[in-house]
Amino acid sequence: MSLALKNNRDVLVERAKILTKIRQFFSDQNVLEVETPLLASASVTDPFLKPLSLIYDKKTFYLQTSPEYAMKRLLCAGSGSIYQICKAFRDDEKGRIHEPEFTMLEWYMVGFNYENIIDQTDKLLQFVLNSKPAQKYSYQELFIKYAGIDPLNSEIDNFDLDVIFNAKIEPNLKDVVIVYDYPASQAALSKKRDKVCERFEVYIDGIELSNGYHELTDPVEHRKRFEMDLKKRRELNYPELPIDENFMSALEIGLPDCAGVALGVDRLVMAALKKKHILDVVGLAVS
């Protein structure tokens, strides 16, 4: 019998309770729950994310790797602070903590800065997991402590930084840890500040749980970063992907100053229930 079919009702009940607590947390803060389409005519340009696609009416559509662009379009339209619990899809991701289809919590807080969103994420985890306040470390101090390298003043590229982080640092991240101030070269769609970007990640016992930003709002800089992504994809011989022009049009209207977080719900349930494999906490996996 597969791992998926060994899941019992107790796990499903506990998972449902966690989802209820997430919704309660955001309801108490007057954050609006929304739904956005799973299909889009364009996907993310990130060279390290592989979207799943399908053909409909002779056109290519993409299953969302996250609801980020659609939710930011709502923000541009004046939605105010919002959150969503939804399915997301990524190709070539399968293992102990990966499934091609997974559940994601994503939220955006209008008017929040970097410190605000880190604090809120910590409070959400304390509320859901009944955990102690997170330990907080800068990316730089962890590298210096565990790898003897200053990542902000070296010639090491992002790929090698990731390899070192996975091998030397992640095993030392016990309990709930928030890592902040990533190198500016790893900004993705976060704001930059000197040599760092206003981006953070949450780890629980060495497993990445969430990724958050003080969000970039400048549409010109967005397009520049998308084009850099596409250049990298060409260098890696990855399939060409279109820039999401619907998203770009929304940015021209204006994305309000905000901060956002994407969090893996399945991994959160794993942490809460002390499970070792993602298939222990999902109802049924992709067969």
Side-chain angles (χ1 to χ4, degrees), residues 94-269:
K94 194 169 182 64
R96 186 174 73 87
I97 59 172
H98 292 93
E99 272 289 299
E101 176 184 332
F102 58 98
T103 303
M104 178 173 282
L105 162 66
E106 191 150 334
W107 76 95
Y108 294 89
M109 301 298 296
V110 174
F112 267 39
N113 62 24
Y114 193 37
E115 292 76 19
N116 297 150
I117 198 69
I118 289 175
D119 181 61
Q120 185 190 44
T121 303
D122 192 8
K123 288 179 179 176
L124 170 66
L125 294 177
Q126 291 176 52
F127 182 72
V128 173
L129 299 176
N130 195 29
S131 59
K132 296 179 180 178
Q135 305 167 68
K136 300 181 178 70
Y137 303 100
S138 74
Y139 188 94
Q140 182 183 38
E141 69 180 301
L142 287 174
F143 257 84
I144 291 172
K145 180 176 180 179
Y146 293 112
I149 298 169
D150 183 348
L152 303 184
N153 297 286
S154 71
E155 299 300 319
I156 299 177
D157 64 26
N158 284 334
F159 177 79
D160 288 333
L161 286 177
D162 285 343
V163 171
I164 294 169
F165 194 95
N166 294 341
K168 298 282 190 179
I169 298 171
E170 281 186 356
N172 293 290
L173 304 181
K174 305 301 182 184
D175 300 317
V176 182
V177 177
I178 293 177
V179 183
Y180 62 91
D181 282 2
Y182 278 65
S185 59
Q186 299 184 34
L189 296 182
S190 64
K191 291 187 175 182
K192 295 180 180 180
R193 187 183 72 251
D194 299 322
K195 292 184 177 182
V196 302
C197 58
E198 296 194 338
R199 170 188 169 190
F200 71 96
E201 293 190 0
V202 178
Y203 287 80
I204 297 184
D205 292 329
I207 295 176
E208 180 191 344
L209 178 68
S210 69
N211 189 12
Y213 309 151
H214 189 186
E215 301 291 342
L216 177 68
T217 56
D218 180 3
V220 175
E221 180 63 18
H222 268 88
R223 188 174 292 277
K224 178 181 176 182
R225 294 191 194 179
F226 290 154
E227 289 173 348
M228 288 175 62
D229 283 347
L230 294 177
K231 180 175 181 292
K232 183 67 174 179
R233 291 186 69 88
R234 287 191 290 271
E235 291 172 353
L236 294 169
N237 292 317
Y238 289 168
E240 189 80 10
L241 291 173
I243 291 175
D244 190 331
E245 294 298 342
N246 290 327
F247 177 48
M248 294 304 304
S249 296
L251 291 175
E252 293 291 344
I253 296 171
L255 179 66
D257 187 39
C258 63
V261 181
L263 183 151
V265 172
D266 304 313
R267 294 182 187 182
L268 180 66
V269 178

Side-chain angles (χ1 to χ4, degrees), residues 34-54:
V34 297
E35 291 182 297
T36 55
L38 297 180
L39 284 177
S41 57
S43 184
V44 295
T45 55
D46 188 324
F48 302 108
L49 291 180
K50 297 180 180 179
L52 289 164
S53 63
L54 59 84

Side-chain angles (χ1 to χ4, degrees), residues 80-100:
S81 299
I82 53 178
Y83 81 98
Q84 180 169 188
I85 300 171
C86 62
K87 291 295 185 181
F89 306 84
R90 295 178 185 180
D91 196 5
D92 199 27
E93 292 197 7
K94 194 169 182 64
R96 186 174 73 87
I97 59 172
H98 292 93
E99 272 289 299

Side-chain angles (χ1 to χ4, degrees), residues 52-70:
L52 289 164
S53 63
L54 59 84
I55 304 296
Y56 173 72
D57 196 24
K58 300 181 180 179
K59 297 178 182 178
T60 300
F61 290 86
Y62 300 88
L63 288 165
Q64 63 177 8
T65 58
S66 92
E68 178 179 5
Y69 293 176

